[in-house]
Amino acid sequence: MLFAHDTEVSLLSAAALVNTDSTDGDTLTTVDQLDAFVTANEFTGSRAHDEAELRAVRRLRGRLRGIWTADRSALVDEVNQLLRDGRALPQLVRHDHWDYHLHATAPEQPLATRMAVEAAMALVDVIRSDETDRLRTCAADDCDDVLIDLSKNRSKRFCGVTCGNRANMAAYRARRAAGST
Ligand SMILES: [Zn+2]
Ligand SMILES: [Zn+2]
């Protein structure tokens, strides 16, 4: 494992949030879709289930996309800002099937704040470990999804298998075309 377990889970959730707004469309436009996202990513704590909550999460999504592609010093500024805005106070907790991990917000704080601070806390680890080059965007031509490369050999280039397969197929066709002339 590269980072602590909760850090890796948080980074994957943050990437998943950014990627709800992809070149294929936006899958976070209704409160129901937000509910599904929160359930799939196992976010705990209070919920408003309203449009204001959805708007706040969508704003965070845009901000996280910017963070993903920022240079190191801009990244640090943004992460510090997120921690200040959320009044982050790290505490070790365990709940459900999760052993001890960090929560830096109270369950009563708004969902978008809790998501922001969780992402920021995870990015703190990435920055401190000097691993910010693992924050990437998909290498496929027609995809701008983000990814966190958690592989040992730093080899992850695509957001998922679909993009990876498509790029491999394109490269294969290009080789064949080159070979047949
Ligand atoms: Zn937790
Ligand atoms: Zn992709």
Side-chain angles (χ1 to χ4, degrees):
M1 201 178 356
L2 190 60
F3 301 108
H5 178 68
D6 55 333
T7 294
E8 298 197 347
V9 169
S10 300
L11 291 168
L12 292 169
S13 295
L17 175 60
V18 172
N19 294 341
T20 58
D21 184 13
S22 82
T23 42
D24 308 331
D26 188 338
T27 58
L28 199 64
T29 58
T30 66
V31 173
D32 281 353
Q33 286 177 326
L34 178 59
D35 286 350
F37 180 85
V38 165
T39 304
N41 288 276
E42 299 188 59
F43 282 101
T44 57
S46 64
R47 288 289 313 281
H49 294 287
D50 61 11
E51 291 292 327
E53 183 177 60
L54 175 64
R55 275 197 303 276
V57 173
R58 287 170 58 87
R59 266 198 306 276
L60 172 65
R61 176 176 71 178
R63 199 161 167 193
L64 286 176
R65 172 173 283 286
I67 283 177
W68 222 268
T69 49
D71 64 34
R72 197 158 184 257
S73 70
L75 177 60
V76 167
D77 289 345
E78 278 282 3
V79 165
N80 280 339
Q81 188 65 49
L82 288 174
L83 292 173
R84 274 198 305 275
D85 289 351
R87 294 182 226 290
L89 177 67
Q91 297 281 288
L92 282 162
V93 296
R94 60 180 169 188
H95 59 84
D96 301 303
H97 59 97
W98 304 100
D99 197 4
Y100 283 120
H101 59 285
L102 286 173
H103 278 200
T105 49
E108 304 78 48
Q109 281 176 270
L111 175 66
T113 305
R114 299 197 313 271
M115 285 175 144
V117 169
E118 187 184 297
M121 290 292 292
L123 290 165
V124 161
D125 279 1
V126 175
I127 296 163
R128 282 158 64 227
S129 315
D130 196 15
E131 297 284 2
T132 52
D133 62 337
R134 292 178 180 274
L135 300 169
R136 304 197 184 136
T137 49
C138 182
D141 289 340
D142 49 356
C143 178
D144 60 1
D145 281 7
V146 299
L147 62 104
I148 172 77
D149 182 1
L150 296 174
S151 69
K152 244 190 203 130
N153 58 356
R154 302 169 179 272
S155 59
K156 191 166 161 62
R157 295 171 53 227
F158 301 103
C159 66
V161 283
T162 314
C163 277
N165 288 344
R166 224 158 20 127
N168 286 340
M169 190 53 76
Y172 171 74
R173 283 206 205 90
R175 275 198 307 275
R176 269 184 59 145
S180 65
T181 51

